Amino acid sequence: MLLEDRIRYRPLHDKITDAQTAAGCILDGTNLFISGFTAGYPKLIPQELVRRAKNGERFKVNLFAGASTGGSVDGILAEADLVGWRRPYMSDRIMRKKINANGINFKDDHLSRLASQVRSGDLGSPDVAIVEAVGITEKGHLIPTMSVGNTPTYVREAQKIIIEISAESPELEGIHDIFIPEDSPWRMPIPIYRTADRVGKPFIEMDPNRVVAIILSREQDSCPVFNPPDDVSTRIAAHILDFIRHEIKRDRMPRNLPWQSGVGDVANAVLSGFIEDDFFANLDIYSEVLQDSVLDLIDLGKVRAASGSAMTLSHKARKRFFNELYRYKEKTVLRPVEISNSPEVIRRLGVIAVNTAIEIDIYGHVNSTHVMGSQMMNGIGGSGDFLRNGAISFIVSPSVAKGGKISAIVPMVSHVDHSEHSVDVVVTEHGLVDTRPLTPRQVAEQIIKKCAHPDYRDMLWDYYQRAVRTTGGHEPHMLDEVFSFHQRFMATGDMHPRQK
Amino acid sequence: MLLEDRIRYRPLHDKITDAQTAAGCILDGTNLFISGFTAGYPKLIPQELVRRAKNGERFKVNLFAGASTGGSVDGILAEADLVGWRRPYMSDRIMRKKINANGINFKDDHLSRLASQVRSGDLGSPDVAIVEAVGITEKGHLIPTMSVGNTPTYVREAQKIIIEISAESPELEGIHDIFIPEDSPWRMPIPIYRTADRVGKPFIEMDPNRVVAIILSREQDSCPVFNPPDDVSTRIAAHILDFIRHEIKRDRMPRNLPWQSGVGDVANAVLSGFIEDDFFANLDIYSEVLQDSVLDLIDLGKVRAASGSAMTLSHKARKRFFNELYRYKEKTVLRPVEISNSPEVIRRLGVIAVNTAIEIDIYGHVNSTHVMGSQMMNGIGGSGDFLRNGAISFIVSPSVAKGGKISAIVPMVSHVDHSEHSVDVVVTEHGLVDTRPLTPRQVAEQIIKKCAHPDYRDMLWDYYQRAVRTTGGHEPHMLDEVFSFHQRFMATGDMHPRQK
């Protein structure tokens, strides 16, 4: 397909140019609002900015995306020291390092909130939007690629728009559902009543007069590699499915509430758990990022509808998806993240939310972001949107990390992203605790017995028992040794005591 | 007015009885779902239960209300050791003590979530509802008193209903707006688009066949005493109003977003701040508990609409309210707490949320519930519903407590109810920090400089600087001395070091 055929709005053909010219409007201090949510990010302009930096130009941009954009944006821009500010989420190794060294300003937001903040002007003047698209419609509107994220708002607000037409993407038109809610006090209900509902347009409305450049791209999203579910994640998935099946059978939960599952191997494994399970059928998935497991379930005829803000597929799955797009399109819908993660919609639909943690404490508080309390990992992403508003919220983690040297269950988490009030059920490969009918003390006793790794149970029990005896209270804690596990790890590289 | 005139549904006249007979169905292990949300709780049945306990009967009930019910329910039942479980919130001194001693099982829930949990059966079989009402309609429906809370759901779900007709209450009919949303996956949008919208019925639908007893009550709610705004709360209120005025003038916020203000003196003072302020007019108040200040503002013609789940008025204000009910009724609406605190509605309307904290840390995490990390104070109540979903969320506290011996700003809060991600603006009498455009390190620097009490600034700054130098990271913390302020207080009764 020719570039011209992708741009069905003729007047914009004049804007076709090269990356160097296109990026000319990006200067020191420019606020850059880019498409991208694990997928669908622009590729050529970031490369061009790096080229300029290598040629000695000194400048920094403030970078706002939907969520993470991987090595090809966050990674190379961070490495070239081109990023002043970054919001709301990232997962790149190099960028993470610079954020923790205070070399990049980073703020970690609930993903559902950013778009309205941009519209209200809170994030500064919306200078330039860079958007990856599969094409432009006859009326000059934009068809995005494999993610929506905050792109509709960025395109609406930006003074200048640069478009990277992704020549390798197939005809994704029709998969997106673009709806920008009005802002308060004029907001009306978001009219999604069922997972499959389409309430917007299949394109992003755009004022063609603000398009300053269009370039042709043959770059593709870098693909994640999903590890096949290992024993630990298979057991975690089994605990969750058993529990929900039990709740449904006891008539404490309706059948067919939609599912959300976070990003990564464990989250992928949870959905893979449905593959060999005959109880669950006609699944609705109302999630944030759709991964390989969703395609597998569609192939098995197990999915009624899958909704997200992005699709992140392994190389193999992407090929399959592109080849049989007509079939997958019927089942999938990609929305702005303020809709996929909308508290209103999540609570209305009654989403079963499954999210992963770095560590969980004995009372059910969750650290999703900071290793040892200070070092940023990736960000909370949408975990808070789903955990807080889901009909039932699971927080899951393997019981240990670093070959057993770190216990995921600790006396007190070293950083709290989600308090006990947002968490219903705690799950590790060893077991599951439904905290809803329990007092904090009962929660602690159950989590230590059922979720902690056997290596750490005695230490946790000893801590808890002494806290009950000495401090007492509703959530007994001894503040002088509440982080003893962490301190030991930082001193010795192992949460186990030297002498076991 | 005769009791009979209050019960306009004639067949229920047969159920009129005395408290002793009425309470006959309450036995050991009974799940008791009572009306009440700072006001509007039943009074006679609790007294009768205490009488039985004093006569030597040994039994415990599980007590679920809308929120707190004060000394006349929580207090006397706790003192008589009659409470097995209590949810979701309380503020009584005696009950608090027993909860902290593990003598009463207590779980602290987001108030917006409890009703749907009761409907799903999560809280056990709904044995008996006890409801204070001003009357019963011709068709046998219930008109509640000064609060709605979870009463509509309790009345719908309970197997047996006991009604205390409050003979002293005036004709409140018409002030309530009762709407129970369907539960997922059949829920539809909650159709409130503006603060004043009425979307339900002025009574609680009730099946008269489940009414087992009706008794006449001349008891009244015990009234809070509001202290007139002191210097500290006046300054806190001024900071908030100045900030919002500034945002509106800079066109970063629309005029006339509705306000929510928490419970207590400081919250009352914030709304009182409008009294002498000419900039703010036509106020919408979309809150949880309406206090004296709301009446004052109505009298001044400054309120367009005030919505809440309860009215808690001082003795004097209540008299005024009852005397001119016709006038106040036009401006006020009382809703179920799942509606007053609905994340969906709060986010749609764009509520300006103001809530108080026990302590706030340098990165903006908030402890609303646990003194020194372990001792339960009252519970989170609706603070999380409003903080998380407001268009802008203020967390406020006087900078010190206990005559300066406790700093409300600490390195790390000893318990987290609301993470930094739920908090937009931190306020003490010394100043205000808008955290939204800042990194965590910038937040820490600003909070220490602007919000901390001068006595504690150097200590906080010293901690923060050393954390930056030694641990570093995105939110620098030294886990081995992160609670040094708390530990010092617990050892010496003062967060100040011995030698200043």
Side-chain angles (χ1 to χ4, degrees):
Chain A
M1 191 182 270
L2 292 170
L3 178 55
E4 282 75 8
D5 296 332
R6 296 269 180 153
I7 307 172
R8 307 195 306 246
Y9 181 74
R10 293 271 143 196
L12 278 182
H13 286 204
D14 297 347
K15 302 291 181 180
I16 299 171
T17 183
D18 58 80
Q20 187 175 349
T21 312
C25 61
I26 300 169
L27 308 167
D28 188 43
T30 296
N31 292 325
L32 222 52
F33 294 80
I34 67 173
S35 68
F37 196 106
T38 69
Y41 39 81
K43 285 98 179 167
L44 296 178
I45 299 291
Q47 288 169 19
E48 164 60 18
L49 297 179
V50 170
R51 193 195 59 79
R52 276 164 51 181
K54 282 192 177 145
N55 282 349
E57 189 180 334
R58 292 174 70 97
F59 65 108
K60 287 200 186 207
V61 298
N62 302 316
L63 192 64
F64 307 94
S68 60
T69 60
S72 6
V73 183
D74 285 337
I76 65 169
L77 292 180
E79 187 158 30
D81 255 330
L82 289 175
V83 183
W85 262 95
R86 177 73 171 90
R87 286 173 89 158
Y89 181 89
M90 60 84 225
S91 61
D92 178 76
R93 190 176 48 84
I94 300 166
M95 181 170 268
R96 176 186 303 137
K97 213 169 154 184
K98 296 217 169 173
I99 286 170
N100 281 314
N102 206 27
I104 293 176
N105 291 315
F106 179 67
K107 189 165 180 90
D108 187 17
D109 303 285
H110 292 299
L111 295 185
S112 68
R113 284 193 66 181
L114 204 76
S116 66
Q117 284 183 282
V118 171
R119 291 193 294 269
S120 74
D122 287 353
L123 268 59
S125 94
D127 301 326
V128 179
I130 315 176
V131 184
E132 192 189 62
V134 295
I136 296 170
T137 68
E138 287 77 0
K139 298 212 165 169
H141 300 312
L142 206 67
I143 303 160
T145 55
M146 294 286 271
S147 71
V148 180
N150 293 317
T151 314
T153 287
Y154 294 170
V155 165
R156 193 174 93 177
E157 299 293 322
Q159 284 145 23
K160 294 176 180 170
I161 301 166
I162 299 171
I163 300 166
E164 294 193 9
I165 298 285
S166 168
E168 303 295 318
S169 291
E171 258 313 317
L172 289 167
E173 192 168 359
I175 203 170
H176 312 96
D177 183 51
I178 310 300
F179 175 85
I180 303 181
E182 292 293 328
D183 290 306
S184 306
W186 304 286
R187 179 169 284 197
M188 286 282 126
I190 297 169
I192 295 178
Y193 310 144
R194 302 288 183 264
T195 299
D197 286 353
R198 288 179 172 274
V199 301
K201 297 172 182 163
F203 50 77
I204 293 173
E205 282 188 297
M206 178 172 74
D207 170 6
N209 294 320
R210 280 182 289 119
V211 176
V212 295
I214 299 176
I215 53 182
L216 176 71
S217 168
R218 300 207 170 275
E219 307 281 318
Q220 294 223 350
D221 290 327
S222 61
C223 289
V225 176
F226 291 107
N227 298 305
D230 61 3
D231 183 47
V232 166
S233 46
T234 304
R235 280 157 70 191
I236 288 174
H239 286 311
I240 295 173
L241 267 51
D242 284 349
F243 179 80
I244 294 292
R245 188 173 13 240
H246 178 77
E247 292 289 294
I248 293 172
K249 285 186 176 167
R250 286 188 60 190
D251 199 25
R252 286 156 47 100
M253 184 182 281
R255 262 178 186 274
N256 290 327
L257 291 180
W259 288 75
Q260 173 262 345
S261 190
V263 178
D265 278 337
V266 173
N268 198 48
V270 169
L271 293 186
S272 296
F274 292 120
I275 292 173
E276 309 219 330
D277 191 303
D278 289 335
F279 181 81
F280 293 97
N282 288 319
L283 291 167
D284 281 345
I285 295 165
Y286 196 85
S287 197
E288 183 182 275
V289 177
L290 305 178
Q291 304 183 136
D292 283 21
S293 49
V294 172
L295 292 203
D296 298 339
L297 292 168
I298 291 177
D299 289 349
L300 287 169
K302 290 208 158 205
V303 173
R304 192 160 61 178
S307 162
S309 193
M311 298 198 77
T312 314
L313 302 175
S314 67
H315 192 73
K316 223 171 133 183
R318 185 166 66 184
K319 232 172 136 179
R320 208 164 103 214
F321 179 73
F322 283 5
N323 280 340
E324 301 192 62
L325 193 53
Y326 67 95
R327 190 162 61 81
Y328 293 115
K329 255 197 216 170
E330 280 176 15
K331 297 283 186 181
T332 47
V333 50
L334 297 183
R335 313 179 187 277
V337 63
E338 66 185 311
I339 306 296
S340 67
N341 288 29
S342 157
E344 169 181 337
V345 178
I346 293 166
R347 204 174 271 218
R348 181 182 305 143
L349 299 181
V351 173
I352 300 172
V354 182
N355 290 276
T356 55
I358 290 176
E359 56 181 4
I360 305 162
D361 73 26
I362 56 175
Y363 297 113
H365 302 268
V366 173
N367 176 7
S368 301
T369 55
H370 284 75
V371 176
M372 298 294 141
S374 298
Q375 307 293 319
M376 168 57 67
M377 189 66 187
N378 300 333
I380 47 163
S383 58
D385 295 321
F386 285 97
L387 272 170
R388 172 71 79 90
N389 296 293
I392 184 163
S393 297
F394 293 86
I395 194 83
V396 309
S397 175
S399 67
V400 289
K402 295 239 175 211
K405 289 177 179 162
I406 292 180
S407 172
I409 308 293
V410 291
M412 179 187 270
V413 287
S414 56
H415 176 95
V416 176
D417 293 290
H418 314 295
S419 81
E420 54 183 330
H421 313 295
S422 290
V423 174
D424 294 324
V425 185
V426 174
V427 195
T428 69
E429 74 277 22
H430 294 290
L432 170 152
V433 175
D434 179 4
T435 70
R436 294 172 302 172
L438 304 177
T439 67
R441 289 188 189 206
Q442 292 167 342
V443 168
E445 288 162 18
Q446 295 284 310
I447 287 183
I448 294 170
K449 280 182 196 159
K450 294 189 178 164
C451 297
H453 189 280
D455 270 15
Y456 291 102
R457 273 181 211 164
D458 289 348
M459 283 164 62
L460 289 162
W461 189 252
D462 171 65
Y463 170 85
Y464 170 67
Q465 284 297 316
R466 285 187 297 118
V468 166
R469 281 201 306 274
T470 57
T471 322
H474 191 237
E475 288 198 5
H477 263 313
M478 298 177 292
L479 295 183
D480 50 345
E481 56 173 293
V482 74
F483 293 131
S484 57
F485 283 42
H486 301 83
Q487 288 167 270
R488 195 177 305 117
F489 177 82
M490 289 192 280
T492 69
D494 194 339
M495 284 190 179
H496 289 101
R498 280 266 180 245
Q499 309 271 3
K500 271 204 274 191
Chain B
M1 189 182 276
L2 291 170
L3 177 55
E4 281 74 9
D5 296 333
R6 296 267 180 154
I7 307 172
R8 308 197 303 250
Y9 181 74
R10 293 268 143 198
L12 279 182
H13 285 206
D14 296 347
K15 302 291 181 182
I16 298 171
T17 183
D18 58 80
Q20 186 175 350
T21 313
C25 61
I26 300 169
L27 308 167
D28 188 42
T30 295
N31 292 325
L32 223 51
F33 294 80
I34 66 172
S35 67
F37 195 106
T38 68
Y41 38 82
K43 285 100 178 163
L44 296 179
I45 298 291
Q47 289 169 19
E48 165 60 17
L49 297 180
V50 170
R51 193 195 59 77
R52 276 164 51 181
K54 282 191 179 146
N55 282 348
E57 189 180 337
R58 292 174 69 96
F59 66 106
K60 288 202 185 204
V61 298
N62 302 316
L63 192 63
F64 307 94
S68 59
T69 60
S72 4
V73 184
D74 285 337
I76 64 169
L77 292 181
E79 189 159 28
D81 256 329
L82 289 175
V83 184
W85 261 97
R86 176 72 171 94
R87 287 171 89 158
Y89 181 90
M90 59 85 223
S91 60
D92 179 75
R93 190 176 48 84
I94 300 166
M95 181 169 268
R96 177 186 302 136
K97 212 168 155 184
K98 296 219 170 172
I99 286 170
N100 281 314
N102 207 26
I104 293 176
N105 290 315
F106 179 67
K107 189 166 180 91
D108 187 18
D109 302 286
H110 292 298
L111 296 185
S112 68
R113 284 192 67 181
L114 204 78
S116 66
Q117 284 183 283
V118 171
R119 292 192 295 268
S120 74
D122 286 355
L123 268 60
S125 94
D127 301 326
V128 179
I130 315 176
V131 183
E132 193 190 60
V134 295
I136 295 171
T137 69
E138 287 78 1
K139 297 214 166 168
H141 300 313
L142 206 69
I143 303 161
T145 55
M146 293 286 270
S147 71
V148 179
N150 293 318
T151 314
T153 287
Y154 294 170
V155 165
R156 193 175 92 176
E157 299 292 322
Q159 285 145 23
K160 294 176 181 171
I161 301 166
I162 299 170
I163 300 167
E164 293 194 9
I165 297 284
S166 168
E168 303 296 319
S169 292
E171 257 313 318
L172 289 167
E173 192 168 359
I175 203 170
H176 312 95
D177 183 52
I178 310 299
F179 174 85
I180 302 181
E182 291 292 328
D183 290 307
S184 306
W186 304 285
R187 179 170 284 197
M188 287 283 128
I190 297 169
I192 295 177
Y193 310 146
R194 301 288 183 266
T195 299
D197 286 353
R198 287 179 173 273
V199 301
K201 298 171 181 162
F203 50 78
I204 294 173
E205 283 187 299
M206 180 172 73
D207 170 8
N209 293 320
R210 280 183 288 119
V211 175
V212 295
I214 299 177
I215 53 182
L216 175 72
S217 168
R218 301 207 170 273
E219 306 281 318
Q220 295 223 350
D221 290 326
S222 62
C223 290
V225 177
F226 292 107
N227 298 305
D230 62 4
D231 183 48
V232 166
S233 46
T234 304
R235 282 159 68 193
I236 288 174
H239 287 311
I240 294 173
L241 266 51
D242 285 348
F243 179 80
I244 294 292
R245 190 174 11 242
H246 178 77
E247 292 289 294
I248 292 172
K249 285 187 175 167
R250 286 188 59 191
D251 198 25
R252 286 155 48 98
M253 183 181 282
R255 262 178 186 275
N256 290 327
L257 290 180
W259 289 74
Q260 172 262 344
S261 192
V263 178
D265 278 338
V266 174
N268 198 48
V270 169
L271 293 186
S272 296
F274 291 121
I275 292 172
E276 309 219 328
D277 191 304
D278 289 335
F279 181 81
F280 294 96
N282 287 318
L283 291 166
D284 280 345
I285 294 166
Y286 196 86
S287 199
E288 183 182 275
V289 178
L290 305 178
Q291 304 182 135
D292 283 20
S293 49
V294 172
L295 291 203
D296 298 338
L297 292 169
I298 291 177
D299 288 349
L300 287 169
K302 291 209 158 203
V303 172
R304 193 160 60 178
S307 162
S309 193
M311 298 197 77
T312 315
L313 302 175
S314 68
H315 192 73
K316 223 171 132 182
R318 185 167 65 184
K319 232 171 136 179
R320 208 164 103 216
F321 179 73
F322 282 5
N323 281 340
E324 302 192 60
L325 193 53
Y326 66 95
R327 191 162 61 81
Y328 292 116
K329 255 198 216 169
E330 280 175 16
K331 297 283 186 181
T332 45
V333 50
L334 297 183
R335 312 178 188 278
V337 62
E338 65 184 314
I339 306 297
S340 67
N341 288 27
S342 156
E344 170 180 337
V345 178
I346 293 166
R347 204 175 272 218
R348 182 183 304 143
L349 300 181
V351 172
I352 299 171
V354 182
N355 290 276
T356 55
I358 291 177
E359 55 180 5
I360 306 163
D361 73 28
I362 56 175
Y363 297 113
H365 301 267
V366 173
N367 175 6
S368 302
T369 54
H370 284 75
V371 176
M372 298 293 142
S374 298
Q375 306 294 319
M376 169 57 66
M377 189 68 186
N378 299 335
I380 46 164
S383 58
D385 295 322
F386 285 97
L387 271 170
R388 172 72 79 90
N389 295 293
I392 185 164
S393 297
F394 293 87
I395 194 83
V396 310
S397 175
S399 67
V400 290
K402 294 238 173 211
K405 287 178 180 162
I406 291 180
S407 173
I409 308 293
V410 290
M412 181 187 269
V413 288
S414 57
H415 177 94
V416 176
D417 293 291
H418 314 295
S419 82
E420 54 183 330
H421 312 297
S422 290
V423 175
D424 293 325
V425 185
V426 174
V427 196
T428 69
E429 73 277 23
H430 294 290
L432 169 152
V433 175
D434 179 4
T435 72
R436 293 173 302 169
L438 304 177
T439 66
R441 289 188 188 206
Q442 293 166 341
V443 168
E445 289 162 20
Q446 296 282 310
I447 287 182
I448 295 170
K449 281 182 196 159
K450 295 189 178 164
C451 297
H453 189 282
D455 270 15
Y456 291 102
R457 272 181 211 164
D458 288 350
M459 283 165 63
L460 288 163
W461 188 252
D462 171 65
Y463 170 84
Y464 170 68
Q465 284 298 313
R466 286 186 298 115
V468 166
R469 279 201 307 275
T470 57
T471 322
H474 190 238
E475 287 197 6
H477 263 313
M478 298 177 293
L479 295 182
D480 49 346
E481 55 173 296
V482 74
F483 293 131
S484 55
F485 284 42
H486 302 82
Q487 288 167 271
R488 195 176 305 117
F489 177 83
M490 286 191 283
T492 69
D494 193 339
M495 283 190 179
H496 289 101
R498 279 266 179 243
Q499 309 270 4
K500 272 204 273 191

